[in-house]
Amino acid sequence: MIVFGMLLAPAAFGGNSPLEQQASATAGGGIEFSLPYGYLDFLPGVTVRASLPLELHPWKEPALDEVAVAGRLHWGNRLMVYGGQLSFGGPTSLFTTAAPTMSLNPLAGFAFPATTVSVGMPGFSGSTAAYGGAVMASLGKGFAKDRVRLWATGSQRKRFFAGATVPFQVAAVELSLSTTAGVWFLEGKLPSLGDSWFASAPVYDDVWLKGVALEGRLTWRWLRLYGAGVVAEQPRGGFGYWGRLRGSVDVTAGKVPLRLLAGIHGGRPESITADGSVLRETLQFYVNPQVTVELGELAEVLEEGRLQLGVAFGASFKNTNQLQPECFADGKLRGGVAAIFPQWKLQLVGEWTGIRLSNLELKASLRSLEKYGGELSLALHQLIPHCTVRISGSGHYENRGGSEKDRIVAAGNLNLRQTSGRKNQWFSLVPDLTVSTEMVFRRLDGLYSATTEAKASWNIQFPYVKVGAWVAVQLKHTTR
């Protein structure tokens, strides 16, 4: 597979006039070669991907060290070896991100987090990832969930992880257990005026630390559960720990499907993670009930449609990490409704985040962003054959505790993705396309900015080989 890319994004120019304006542009190119295309169990394969960012305004000659390069050797799904500028996800993030992000999509289904490491290579906008390597192996008979998986990663950031996943199945119960061990290096941390937590968090010298994580996944009829826990050495001795538990329950009341999603996170205050960040969220939880109504019961003309409704609420209890730490809480509330038909889906989601659940007076920087707003989206499945078109618009008001931070954000998005029938096409004139625009107004200082981005990719597919191209354009303009 060969892929070329180009990226335009913001740099800056400005004037001395009372109306200050800034704009910018950068570009980038990329190439990818893969043979054979896909994962054929009986053939080895190789993939190499590289990208190069270029600053067009003002012009800057590219340097060799700005090239992002990564490669992969694979033999079916039994063995994969990665090298180059890579980003890692899955179990490795448990050590660096102690508290999960509460996205709280009120209409989303339940999805298990990846218990085997995921590896990202340079894409549209290049890569700022460090150099590293990874090995992934799959053992046993069968494929995917029926196989034991082993993996190991390492990077120039001096973080090394290895893990294993073992699946089980007993009658109707599917169970998967995973373990990950890690060793990482933390540079010495000294107090400074810029620190918000140094007065209570340990001050330490350069140190190598280690830790272990355990994960479990369970599926049984109407129940799905995921749990994970981490124990990690701390720079000044002792151990920090944090963990999370989430799940969903699907039942039917009469003929009405009901779903309840819920989760909880907790950890030892001021535990220091593998990237040196300090755990502030000592407790976090969310609940998300959903209901689906078949519209055919209301009218025969709507018999192929259904209505989905959901409400999600989450709360986070945090530590101020000051000399005399105090605990405060804020919340997030989202509600949504979607009308779903075979050829289209209309969805409306509203949200209120940063809800103050405690009266403790704090600096604005310690609280979560307070935001009100919503998003309306329309997905069309047959407007273009074998494609899905999604159009959305959103608006939000944001406040971080002072009028100088008040912002109004308006955004729009157009997304086109090829779906069925693509595997039988050797070439398609219809690209995968994403166009987005965002406008930001900041009230006190009169700041206005607009960002528009477009990305498109095409593919030509031959037996065992894929040739593709992508183009991305991003423009930004700021007026004060």
Side-chain angles (χ1 to χ4, degrees), residues 89-269:
T92 60
S93 64
L94 293 173
F95 293 88
T96 57
T97 308
T101 301
M102 289 195 302
S103 59
L104 293 189
N105 183 343
L107 302 176
F110 181 86
F112 284 113
T115 54
T116 299
V117 69
S118 59
V119 182
M121 297 196 296
F124 271 109
S125 56
S127 174
T128 58
Y131 283 96
V135 178
M136 305 169 63
S138 183
L139 310 175
K141 298 180 179 180
F143 296 92
K145 67 182 180 181
D146 299 323
R147 300 171 67 91
V148 175
R149 296 185 177 183
L150 308 174
W151 60 269
T153 67
S155 75
Q156 68 180 134
R157 294 177 179 173
K158 300 180 182 179
R159 300 176 188 169
F160 305 91
F161 299 95
T165 299
V166 182
F168 303 91
Q169 182 156 1
V170 180
V173 178
E174 294 183 9
L175 180 65
S176 173
L177 298 178
S178 304
T179 181
T180 302
V183 178
W184 58 90
F185 180 80
L186 282 184
E187 296 183 355
K189 181 65 178 179
L190 299 175
S192 67
L193 294 177
D195 290 323
S196 62
W197 56 268
F198 73 87
S200 59
V203 178
Y204 51 86
D205 299 322
D206 293 353
V207 61
W208 281 92
L209 301 170
K210 54 185 178 292
V212 64
L214 297 175
E215 296 178 89
R217 307 196 315 184
L218 182 146
T219 300
W220 177 63
R221 296 181 182 174
W222 41 264
L223 176 66
R224 283 174 288 180
L225 286 176
Y226 166 81
V230 177
V231 177
E233 279 188 319
Q234 298 297 285
R236 289 287 301 270
F239 294 89
Y241 50 83
W242 52 88
R244 60 192 71 173
L245 178 67
R246 50 181 294 203
S248 71
V249 177
D250 291 275
V251 296
T252 301
K255 296 183 178 180
V256 179
L258 304 175
R259 170 176 291 171
L260 175 65
L261 289 82
I264 187 169
H265 150 80
R268 180 182 180 181

Side-chain angles (χ1 to χ4, degrees), residues 27-377:
I31 185 170
E32 179 176 317
F33 173 80
S34 182
L35 180 72
Y37 169 60
Y39 294 97
L40 303 178
D41 195 47
F42 56 90
L43 283 178
V46 60
T47 298
V48 178
R49 183 182 296 182
S51 64
L52 173 65
L54 303 173
E55 292 191 17
L56 296 182
H57 183 74
W59 166 255
K60 177 183 176 183
E61 186 174 351
L64 185 61
D65 59 4
E66 293 178 331
V67 178
V69 182
R72 176 183 64 207
L73 301 173
H74 58 84
W75 193 303
N77 68 348
R78 298 176 184 274
L79 178 65
M80 299 183 194
V81 181
Y82 292 82
Q85 289 175 268
L86 305 172
S87 59
F88 302 112
T92 60
S93 64
L94 293 173
F95 293 88
T96 57
T97 308
T101 301
M102 289 195 302
S103 59
L104 293 189
N105 183 343
L107 302 176
F110 181 86
F112 284 113
T115 54
T116 299
V117 69
S118 59
V119 182
M121 297 196 296
F124 271 109
S125 56
S127 174
T128 58
Y131 283 96
V135 178
M136 305 169 63
S138 183
L139 310 175
K141 298 180 179 180
F143 296 92
K145 67 182 180 181
D146 299 323
R147 300 171 67 91
V148 175
R149 296 185 177 183
L150 308 174
W151 60 269
T153 67
S155 75
Q156 68 180 134
R157 294 177 179 173
K158 300 180 182 179
R159 300 176 188 169
F160 305 91
F161 299 95
T165 299
V166 182
F168 303 91
Q169 182 156 1
V170 180
V173 178
E174 294 183 9
L175 180 65
S176 173
L177 298 178
S178 304
T179 181
T180 302
V183 178
W184 58 90
F185 180 80
L186 282 184
E187 296 183 355
K189 181 65 178 179
L190 299 175
S192 67
L193 294 177
D195 290 323
S196 62
W197 56 268
F198 73 87
S200 59
V203 178
Y204 51 86
D205 299 322
D206 293 353
V207 61
W208 281 92
L209 301 170
K210 54 185 178 292
V212 64
L214 297 175
E215 296 178 89
R217 307 196 315 184
L218 182 146
T219 300
W220 177 63
R221 296 181 182 174
W222 41 264
L223 176 66
R224 283 174 288 180
L225 286 176
Y226 166 81
V230 177
V231 177
E233 279 188 319
Q234 298 297 285
R236 289 287 301 270
F239 294 89
Y241 50 83
W242 52 88
R244 60 192 71 173
L245 178 67
R246 50 181 294 203
S248 71
V249 177
D250 291 275
V251 296
T252 301
K255 296 183 178 180
V256 179
L258 304 175
R259 170 176 291 171
L260 175 65
L261 289 82
I264 187 169
H265 150 80
R268 180 182 180 181
E270 299 179 9
S271 295
I272 298 177
T273 67
D275 65 356
S277 60
V278 180
L279 176 62
R280 294 181 61 210
E281 290 83 356
T282 57
L283 178 64
Q284 186 183 94
F285 72 88
Y286 72 91
V287 292
N288 175 203
Q290 300 179 20
V291 60
T292 301
V293 178
E294 297 296 333
L295 296 179
E297 299 179 3
L298 304 178
E300 292 185 1
V301 294
L302 301 176
E303 61 182 6
E304 293 185 343
R306 65 184 189 274
L307 192 67
Q308 184 181 4
L309 302 97
V311 177
F313 173 76
S316 183
F317 296 82
K318 304 177 183 180
N319 192 307
T320 57
N321 289 320
Q322 296 174 333
L323 184 61
Q324 294 180 339
E326 298 180 85
C327 185
F328 67 98
D330 55 29
K332 178 182 292 188
L333 177 65
R334 285 184 173 176
V337 57
I340 305 170
F341 290 84
Q343 295 186 348
W344 58 273
K345 176 182 178 181
L346 181 65
Q347 177 174 300
L348 173 64
V349 175
E351 70 172 325
W352 176 18
T353 64
I355 304 171
R356 298 191 178 190
L357 302 179
S358 60
N359 295 322
L360 188 63
E361 293 296 329
L362 297 169
K363 294 188 300 182
S365 60
L366 294 176
R367 288 196 175 277
S368 297
L369 172 68
E370 189 173 12
K371 182 168 66 174
Y372 316 85
E375 175 181 311
L376 179 66
S377 65

